Amino acid sequence: MRLLRFLLIIAAFIFIGILPVHAKDMVVKEPPKSLSKYYPPESKQPKWIQQMHKMSTHFGGVFVNLKEKDFENVDMHADKLVEEYKKTSEMVPEWEDYFDIKAAEAFAAAAKTHDIAQAGKASGGLGKTCGKCHAEQEVSVWAKFHWPSFHKIKVTDPISEKEIEFDDYMGSISSSFKGVTVNFGEGQYGRAAKALKVFKSRYLELKSTCSKCHATQDVKRFYVGKDADTAFAGLSQELNSEKPNPGKFWKNIGLLGKTGCKHCHLVHRTNSFIQEMWEK
Amino acid sequence: MKRSPRIFDLIKGLGLIGVAGFAMLYFLVNERFEWIPEQVLELARDPEILKRPPAKKCSECHKAIYEAWKDSRHSISWTSENFIEASENRTKEKCLPCHIPKSVRGEKPSPRLDLRDEGIYCVSCHFIDNKMQGPYDLLAPPHPTFRNPDYVRSNICGSCHQKTFKEWEATKVEDTCQDCHMPRKKGRLTQKAGFNLLHKKRWVGDHRFLHGEIKENDVIMESGWEENFFLISLKNKTIPHFVPTADNGDPRLYLYIKFFNEAGEEVDNAKEIIAPQQETALPYNRKIQYRYRLFDKILKAEVELKYQPAWSKEKTTVRAETVSR
């Protein structure tokens, strides 16, 4: 029973601290310049995150020790939390207003009464300050500091062997895709077969881009993996047969368009859109 | 003035003692170093060596190995232009572990915070548990050493060359990465006056980490004609990993084929990109067949195989052939 109560308190704490404060309109503003100091390449380590972990540890530390009745450590974590919270509030001047030092001190005072219920109640005020900033800033920070940019990636076009920007490459892959479908629609199977060769080599070239951001090969099972192989094999089978079957042809086109292009866009393009806004 | 014979004898005597002394020291250092008490060794130790110094420090004694390493891709794994660009000015966290490893121990290393410009350096590969680990059981007065058999095994390379290591393992070939990429020669481990004579000659692995070359009999190329087809095959016969092979790099072979008609005009062409990132590299000892449908009357094909390493955009010709019908 006591364990259950403890877990509930911890859960409440986690929810207050991490769950975003709901707001219908979300603004994804570029994070302030001064935050860059705490991320690579300006800093060797992601110092902002480390600071977050420190606060989080002391916050949690108060409750863990209250439960264990290790009051000496309750007091230690409460003091450290206030100290780190103050320190964090000075790191990014533009974000100063997110912090409420009084709420942090009030929480520390409540914790020092060593009454778990009182501490739980006082944690709400402090937790809200964490949650508000997370809700408003975390997505921007991820887009800025955790998502590599597709705009800085070049791709070697397998046909011309020239290096081109990623989005230009998307343009050319998309027009060679159309070369296949448009010609097929017109019954020009010979041309469609030629276009398929070009399109396939462009599509395969995409496989060389994954390793510019991913350090495991496993990701290539998606978008450029078996589904794509199956679709290409099916397409060339139809185009090389005497009488291509449109049903089978369009099914494979759909497979490529969906599990290849679309799914990759759904995962990777959201952040690309955000970054593009900021680059303008 | 005539030299006194006594002094002459004295010099001879001292010389003899010197030679005998040196012989004893040589014997002691090379064969019975366990007899030397730790307290005596302490006197010869240089504590700086154990503070993760830059490679330059090791070059005070291991000059030849240092010069070789300087010539290797490992020494520029962090400063390579190509890497800086690909890692978005080194901000991609996933790209750091193997390019600035703290310590190599048979699994993916963690990245280090200091001396990043040194890339993959001596300390990354040799300094473990406060000792310089290596292939030998020996005495190095300036620093503690430890024999670790992993240094002559492929798995040390496999810490970072993970994909290549898996390919190699699957071939069951006994030659290790070191056998081909760090060929050994008899020589001294150190060049510092004194040490070099005191220590016997041993096998020293080439720390340039040689790239390796594709020779005529490594990759076998065969071609032929059928009614309406031109056939060509490539087989990696001797290299016990894919060719090319890569983890995060993108080395490639390009196979170009030009088709000519009776008039000697080029009427068609084809191209293959043989690249690990595209999963089209040549596996060990398996023939890969390419087949081209011919639409015109073709009398001749010109075939060229070119190689482009991971760190360059330049291609070099590996093989060129003209095949007539």
Side-chain angles (χ1 to χ4, degrees):
Chain A
M1 265 333 271
R2 282 175 50 193
L3 180 68
L4 190 68
R5 213 180 74 184
F6 167 67
L7 286 177
L8 276 175
I9 290 172
I10 290 289
F13 150 72
I14 290 171
F15 275 99
I16 294 162
I18 307 300
L19 254 202
V21 174
H22 289 284
K24 283 218 168 123
D25 301 308
M26 183 163 165
V27 180
V28 184
K29 261 202 315 212
E30 190 167 9
K33 277 237 152 55
S34 55
L35 184 63
S36 307
K37 280 205 291 290
Y38 309 113
Y39 283 94
E42 283 185 48
S43 154
K44 279 183 186 162
Q45 288 175 303
K47 290 213 176 108
W48 180 265
I49 298 182
Q50 291 172 343
Q51 193 60 24
M52 289 295 133
H53 286 166
K54 275 188 201 156
M55 291 198 296
S56 186
T57 304
H58 295 311
F59 211 160
V62 167
F63 289 98
V64 170
N65 286 295
L66 275 174
K67 159 78 178 130
E68 289 167 357
K69 299 203 171 5
D70 180 352
F71 297 126
E72 203 175 310
N73 273 320
V74 170
D75 296 0
M76 184 276 287
H77 281 295
D79 287 340
K80 282 271 186 198
L81 175 60
V82 176
E83 186 188 319
E84 295 299 341
Y85 190 78
K86 280 186 183 155
K87 211 160 117 197
T88 316
S89 74
E90 287 157 12
M91 286 168 76
V92 179
E94 294 88 336
W95 282 354
E96 212 189 325
D97 291 345
Y98 280 115
F99 295 85
D100 182 347
I101 309 286
K102 284 213 182 83
E105 284 166 350
F107 170 67
K112 285 180 180 175
T113 65
H114 303 159
D115 173 358
I116 209 165
Q118 217 168 322
K121 220 161 93 196
S123 74
L126 177 60
K128 238 188 269 166
T129 71
C130 315
K132 185 170 194 305
C133 184
H134 292 161
E136 293 178 5
Q137 302 295 346
E138 212 158 2
V139 171
S140 308
V141 169
W142 286 358
K144 172 97 179 173
F145 297 107
H146 296 293
W147 270 86
S149 169
F150 277 90
H151 308 128
K152 293 188 180 130
I153 285 186
K154 292 202 179 67
V155 188
T156 308
D157 183 73
I159 311 300
S160 69
E161 288 180 26
K162 288 210 171 69
E163 274 201 313
I164 59 176
E165 306 284 334
F166 191 88
D167 56 343
D168 293 338
Y169 192 76
M170 280 295 136
S172 79
I173 207 169
S174 152
S175 60
S176 46
F177 197 12
K178 288 198 188 96
V180 181
T181 52
V182 170
N183 279 310
F184 189 88
E186 295 167 355
Q188 308 252 27
Y189 301 138
R191 281 195 201 164
K194 267 213 167 126
L196 181 67
K197 268 199 175 158
V198 173
F199 173 55
K200 189 180 170 189
S201 65
R202 290 215 162 108
Y203 199 85
L204 277 180
E205 182 65 41
L206 278 180
K207 281 187 158 181
S208 309
T209 64
C210 317
S211 65
K212 302 198 174 180
C213 296
H214 292 284
T216 57
Q217 306 295 318
D218 296 351
V219 292
K220 289 188 198 168
R221 284 186 292 135
F222 299 90
Y223 328 133
V224 292
K226 276 223 173 68
D227 281 342
D229 292 344
T230 312
F232 277 115
L235 287 171
S236 65
Q237 197 186 346
E238 286 319 309
L239 288 173
N240 286 325
S241 70
E242 291 301 318
K243 247 182 109 198
N245 175 335
K248 285 192 183 153
F249 176 86
W250 292 111
K251 191 179 138 246
N252 283 313
I253 290 288
L255 188 63
L256 257 184
K258 198 164 161 222
T259 63
C261 321
K262 188 69 184 178
H263 287 179
C264 191
H265 288 166
L266 285 172
V267 169
H268 294 94
R269 275 188 84 178
T270 314
N271 280 279
S272 219
F273 284 130
I274 297 174
Q275 289 168 348
E276 209 171 326
M277 294 296 184
W278 295 340
E279 277 164 23
K280 281 196 186 122
Chain B
M1 227 171 79
K2 207 175 146 224
R3 202 187 275 154
S4 139
R6 282 208 178 158
I7 288 185
F8 196 66
D9 281 347
L10 187 66
I11 292 173
K12 249 189 355 199
L14 281 176
L16 268 174
I17 292 171
V19 168
F22 184 82
M24 268 173 66
L25 199 57
Y26 185 92
F27 176 74
L28 203 59
V29 163
N30 289 297
E31 310 296 338
R32 290 290 182 273
F33 49 82
E34 61 279 8
W35 290 358
I36 305 177
E38 193 57 36
Q39 293 92 311
V40 174
L41 282 178
E42 279 310 318
L43 301 173
R45 297 282 194 232
D46 177 351
E48 288 306 310
I49 300 173
L50 299 185
K51 292 183 184 157
R52 305 185 59 89
K56 194 84 200 149
K57 173 74 191 172
C58 317
S59 81
E60 285 172 14
C61 301
H62 303 288
K63 189 155 181 296
I65 290 177
Y66 169 82
E67 301 288 347
W69 168 82
K70 234 8 213 167
D71 266 352
S72 76
R73 292 292 315 173
H74 287 153
S75 71
I76 51 170
S77 59
W78 183 246
T79 49
S80 147
E81 294 270 337
N82 221 351
F83 173 74
I84 294 172
E85 195 191 315
S87 60
E88 215 177 309
N89 195 18
R90 303 144 165 176
T91 57
K92 294 179 187 165
E93 279 173 63
K94 289 177 198 153
C95 307
L96 313 189
C98 310
H99 287 259
I100 37 163
K102 186 151 200 256
S103 176
V104 171
R105 298 157 179 258
E107 56 194 34
K108 193 195 272 189
S110 3
R112 67 173 186 275
L113 294 173
D114 62 333
L115 300 177
R116 291 181 161 192
D117 284 351
E118 297 278 304
I120 302 158
Y121 71 140
C122 325
V123 163
S124 308
C125 288
H126 288 292
F127 187 55
I128 298 175
D129 300 337
N130 243 23
K131 292 182 195 75
M132 289 306 158
Q133 304 208 355
Y136 292 116
D137 193 8
L138 49 64
L139 173 80
H143 56 70
T145 56
F146 182 75
R147 193 184 83 90
N148 178 341
D150 280 348
Y151 283 81
V152 293
R153 294 186 182 143
S154 291
N155 50 326
I156 188 170
C157 315
S159 316
C160 307
H161 295 267
Q162 296 184 342
K163 222 175 116 206
T164 303
F165 176 76
K166 282 198 199 108
E167 293 163 6
W168 171 82
E169 236 182 350
T171 68
K172 305 230 162 37
V173 167
E174 280 185 8
D175 288 348
T176 63
C177 318
Q178 289 90 328
D179 289 337
C180 296
H181 293 284
M182 296 182 82
R184 299 171 190 94
K185 264 204 201 131
K186 262 276 162 78
R188 307 269 185 209
L189 272 51
T190 59
Q191 280 66 40
K192 190 174 177 151
F195 282 133
N196 56 345
L197 297 177
L198 203 53
H199 295 269
K200 66 181 179 196
K201 284 193 174 182
R202 300 176 191 276
W203 295 105
V204 185
D206 194 329
H207 277 67
R208 283 177 296 169
F209 300 91
L210 302 171
H211 178 284
E213 247 181 278
I214 305 174
K215 300 204 195 75
E216 196 89 12
N217 53 350
D218 292 323
V219 173
I220 311 288
M221 186 157 96
E222 283 170 351
S223 47
W225 307 85
E226 274 176 12
E227 182 70 21
N228 284 323
F229 289 93
F230 176 64
L231 305 168
I232 186 160
S233 70
L234 293 173
K235 181 170 167 185
N236 161 17
K237 199 148 180 333
T238 61
I239 304 170
H241 46 62
F242 279 56
V243 173
T245 181
D247 273 72
N248 267 71
D250 188 7
R252 293 157 176 230
L253 282 167
Y254 283 86
L255 179 67
Y256 299 96
I257 305 151
K258 290 179 184 162
F259 296 107
F260 297 87
N261 64 11
E262 283 168 309
E265 294 159 328
E266 183 187 330
V267 288
D268 206 355
N269 61 62
K271 171 180 352 184
E272 302 296 337
I273 297 175
I274 299 166
Q277 298 301 352
Q278 298 188 25
E279 294 166 323
T280 51
L282 307 173
Y284 174 66
N285 215 8
R286 201 165 78 220
K287 200 188 244 183
I288 301 297
Q289 187 82 250
Y290 308 91
R291 222 174 131 84
Y292 304 98
R293 183 149 181 192
L294 305 172
F295 295 96
D296 306 88
K297 193 162 163 43
I298 303 295
L299 278 195
K300 191 178 81 173
E302 275 180 20
V303 181
E304 197 175 12
L305 190 63
K306 288 190 170 185
Y307 171 73
Q308 175 186 305
W311 35 267
S312 164
K313 295 282 167 239
E314 304 278 318
K315 302 187 188 79
T316 50
T317 300
V318 177
R319 193 83 41 88
E321 264 176 38
T322 301
V323 193
S324 301
R325 223 191 239 269

